[in-house]
């Protein structure tokens, strides 16, 4: 059975253009190189945004963390800030891959953004990636005055594995009690390693882009062991957290054909049960990564929903 007939007609064509790659340790470096060397000559320019590279203090005993800092050049300070975590299944990706999306958000909101180049698995297992993100959050919070950022309006943003890191970072920040967070925006977040071992997986999700096989490789790479075991930390897989009280208001969206549909639904349900203000959207006909089809109506609706939520949460007129 294929779920292709359920795909939004505007999203179908991309499925024929993307190569079918089975992720494994032997090929992952090649995949990273392929994605990093892509050039996008037709991307719009954003003259009102300054982008600079920084290397901030990393976790104790670990290397510095590379970040890209996005600053609007015309806004009156202080402004809100986003700590942004890219996707890639924990095994690939870089801040550059979401450069256009970050710039669009910064341009519309007039905020600062810090995009984190966290270490990747399988070279770096948990807790390396989330601790890198926490180090970047500490740097942002410490430098709010210098950056013209309102420390009461810092939000976490992430997509896919980056959404999983954002959710885990929200838990870590809550439990350490050092840095207040105003909001977390989780785009098709990768939250639960137990999806890999479901006895009855959802029959209509996970056929395209990010499959069950890729998901197992991603989680195994991050954890350094087979997913689904009893001792997985909630700072690795946020869905493992027993207590979700005290987390910042949360926005989650996901496609109806996305492998992460049910784990995201369940996380949203549990957030509401814990008294966390939660907004959740499902987009019919949408698979994982559907926003790659930028001109599709469903992509534009999702982008609008995300911006509306950020504006409201960060008190942007």
């Amino acid at each position: 059975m294929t779920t292709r007939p359920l795909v939004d007609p505007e999203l179908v064509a991309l499925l024929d253009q993307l190569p079918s790659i089975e992720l494994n340790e032997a090929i992952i470096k090649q995949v990273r190189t392929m994605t990093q060397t892509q050039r996008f000559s037709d991307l719009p320019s954003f003259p009102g945004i300054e982008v600079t590279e920084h290397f901030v203090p990393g976790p104790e005993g670990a290397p510095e963390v590379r970040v890209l800092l996005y600053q609007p050049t015309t806004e009156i300070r202080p402004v809100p800030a986003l700590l942004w975590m890219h996707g890639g299944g924990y095994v690939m990706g870089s801040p550059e891959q979401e450069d256009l999306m970050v710039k669009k958000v910064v341009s519309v909101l007039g905020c600062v953004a810090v995009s984190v180049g966290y270490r990747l698995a399988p070279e770096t297992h948990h807790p390396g990636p989330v601790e890198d993100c926490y180090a970047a959050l500490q740097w942002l919070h410490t430098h709010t005055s210098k950056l013209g950022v309102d420390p009461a309006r810092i939000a976490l943003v992430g997509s896919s594995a980056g959404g999983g890191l954002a959710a885990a970072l929200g838990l870590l920040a809550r439990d350490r009690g050092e840095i207040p967070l105003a909001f977390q925006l989780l785009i098709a977040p990768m939250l639960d390693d137990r999806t890999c071992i479901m006895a009855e997986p959802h029959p209509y999700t996970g056929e395209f882009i990010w499959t069950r096989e890729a998901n197992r490789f991603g989680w195994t790479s991050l954890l350094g062991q087979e997913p689904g075991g009893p001792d997985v930390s909630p700072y690795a897989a946020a869905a493992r957290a027993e207590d979700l009280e005290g987390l910042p208001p949360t926005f989650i969206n996901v496609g109806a054909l996305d492998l992460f549909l049910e784990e995201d639904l369940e996380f949203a349900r549990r957030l509401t049960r814990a008294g966390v203000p939660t907004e959740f959207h499902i987009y019919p006909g949408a698979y994982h990564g559907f926003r790659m089809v930028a001109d599709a109506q469903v992509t534009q609706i999702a982008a609008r929903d995300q911006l509306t939520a950020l504006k409201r949460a960060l008190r942007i007129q």
Side-chain angles (χ1 to χ4, degrees), residues 130-275:
V130 72
E131 289 290 358
D132 286 353
C133 295
Y134 191 84
L137 178 62
Q138 284 184 307
W139 178 82
L140 170 59
H141 186 256
T142 301
H143 291 81
T144 50
S145 179
K146 181 180 179 180
L147 298 175
V149 165
D150 181 352
R153 291 190 290 164
I154 295 176
L156 306 179
V157 180
S159 61
S160 191
L165 279 170
L169 184 59
L171 289 164
L172 195 58
R174 178 201 66 181
D175 295 345
R176 290 181 176 172
E178 299 173 325
I179 303 170
L181 296 173
F183 192 61
Q184 53 185 9
L185 188 141
L186 313 178
I187 303 168
M190 184 174 174
L191 300 170
D192 198 340
D193 65 299
R194 295 167 297 188
T195 296
C196 297
I197 62 166
M198 290 179 64
E200 297 182 8
H202 194 298
Y204 298 107
T205 66
E207 182 179 359
F208 305 114
I209 310 297
W210 191 251
T211 64
R212 290 176 177 81
E213 294 75 20
N215 200 45
R216 178 176 288 275
F217 175 72
W219 278 114
T220 302
S221 299
L222 176 69
L223 300 175
Q225 63 186 43
E226 282 294 312
D231 57 347
V232 174
S233 167
Y235 306 135
R240 295 289 198 129
E242 296 183 4
D243 178 14
L244 300 182
E245 289 187 11
L247 289 173
T250 302
F251 173 101
I252 302 173
N253 66 2
V254 65
L257 306 180
D258 194 313
L259 181 65
F260 302 145
L261 171 65
E262 289 191 312
E263 63 189 65
D264 292 353
L265 269 168
E266 175 62 10
F267 196 67
R269 184 194 69 81
R270 292 184 57 216
L271 284 168
T272 65
R273 297 275 293 189

